[in-house]
Amino acid sequence: MSNTKDGSKRQLRREQIRRKEMRSRYTAIGFITLGAIFIAFLFIYPNFKPIGAISTPVAISRSNVKFNAVGDLNAPVKIDEYSDFQCPFCRNFTDTTEASLVEKFVTSGKVYFVYHTFGEYIGSESGAAAEAAYCAGDQEKFWEMHDMLFANQSGENAGTFSDRYLTAMAEKLSLDMTVFKSCYNGNNYKDLIAQDAKDGQAAGVKATPSFVISYSVNGAVKTKLIEGAQTIDVFQTDIESALAEMGK
C-alpha cells in the first residue's frame, strides 16, 4: 500500500515538473515571438507610415547649369565642393553662403562650381540621397533635388532619405518617375558616388563640407582647401587672392 502511494506521489511530482517545464517553454516561445514581431515592426513600419509634408526650398538662381556643375567651364577659378546631404553644416552653407557665391563669382564667369557627394560619409542614407540627386540630374534637375534634399534634412539616418521619401521628392519635382526609378533602383551612380569619396580624400578632404579651390599660374596648378561652412567673406578673400595671383 505504501509503495503504491509513493509511486503516485512520484508520478504526480513528475507531472507537475513536466507542466512547469511546458509553461516555461511556452512563455519563452511567447517572448521570442513578441520580440520577433517587434523587430519586424521596426523594419516594416517606415515603409507604411504616412509621409509628412515635403518642404519646398527657396530657389537659388544658377546660370550655365550642367548636371552637378554651374558656371563657365573656362572660368579661371574652379571650386569643387565635397558634401553630404545629411550634414547640417552642408545645409548651412547652402542656406547662408551658396547664393552669394553664385551671384558674385559664378554668374560673373570667375568661378566654375561643381558639387560632389562624399560617398556614405554619414551613413547609408547619404548614399541614397546622392543617388537620388544624380538620377534627378539625368533629367536636368540635379540642383532642384540638391536644394530639396537640404530643405528636408532631418537628423542622420533617421528615415528622412528612405526610398519612399526620396521617391516622393522626385514626384514633387515632376520628374519622369519611370526613368527616375529605373536609375535609382538600378544604383546607376553607385560607382560615381564611391569615386566622389576617393577624389575628396585624395584632395585632403576629411569632413563635410569641404571646398577645393584650384587655379593655374604660369601653367602650374595651385589648390587651396577650405573646410567647413564658411561665410562668403572667406570665399571672397581666397578667390580674389587667386585671381590677383593670376593677374586677373
Side-chain angles (χ1 to χ4, degrees), residues 9-83:
K9 289 180 179 179
R10 284 195 296 272
Q11 185 176 354
L12 180 61
R13 272 195 226 100
R14 284 197 295 270
E15 183 62 23
Q16 289 174 336
I17 292 171
R18 187 185 70 81
R19 289 179 179 177
K20 185 177 181 180
E21 288 176 345
M22 289 295 292
R23 283 197 297 270
S24 297
R25 188 176 297 116
Y26 286 139
T27 300
I29 292 172
F31 278 122
I32 292 172
T33 302
L34 288 174
I37 292 173
F38 178 71
I39 292 172
F41 174 79
L42 293 178
F43 281 99
I44 295 172
Y45 178 67
N47 293 319
F48 290 96
K49 71 175 182 178
I51 294 177
I54 296 175
S55 299
T56 300
V58 175
I60 295 177
S61 178
R62 300 180 176 94
S63 60
N64 295 329
V65 171
K66 186 173 182 180
F67 199 59
N68 61 327
V70 57
D72 183 356
L73 180 61
N74 297 312
V77 176
K78 181 183 180 184
I79 297 180
D80 290 283
E81 176 186 5
Y82 290 90
S83 176

Side-chain angles (χ1 to χ4, degrees), residues 56-129:
T56 300
V58 175
I60 295 177
S61 178
R62 300 180 176 94
S63 60
N64 295 329
V65 171
K66 186 173 182 180
F67 199 59
N68 61 327
V70 57
D72 183 356
L73 180 61
N74 297 312
V77 176
K78 181 183 180 184
I79 297 180
D80 290 283
E81 176 186 5
Y82 290 90
S83 176
D84 189 309
F85 287 114
Q86 293 197 93
C87 165
F89 300 105
C90 301
R91 175 177 180 173
N92 185 51
F93 166 77
T94 299
D95 289 345
T96 62
T97 304
E98 186 180 345
S100 296
L101 180 63
V102 170
E103 181 183 356
K104 288 187 176 184
F105 298 104
V106 176
T107 302
S108 64
K110 295 176 181 177
V111 169
Y112 180 62
F113 188 86
V114 185
Y115 180 98
H116 305 273
T117 62
F118 197 48
E120 294 189 346
Y121 177 64
I122 292 177
S124 60
E125 288 189 36
S126 301

Side-chain angles (χ1 to χ4, degrees), residues 68 78 80-83 114-119 134 190-207 210-212 223 225:
N68 61 327
K78 181 183 180 184
D80 290 283
E81 176 186 5
Y82 290 90
S83 176
V114 185
Y115 180 98
H116 305 273
T117 62
F118 197 48
Y134 283 140
K190 179 180 179 179
D191 291 343
L192 177 58
I193 293 166
Q195 189 62 49
D196 281 342
K198 292 178 182 177
D199 291 342
Q201 291 164 2
V205 174
K206 297 181 176 64
S210 290
F211 307 83
V212 180
T223 62
L225 181 65

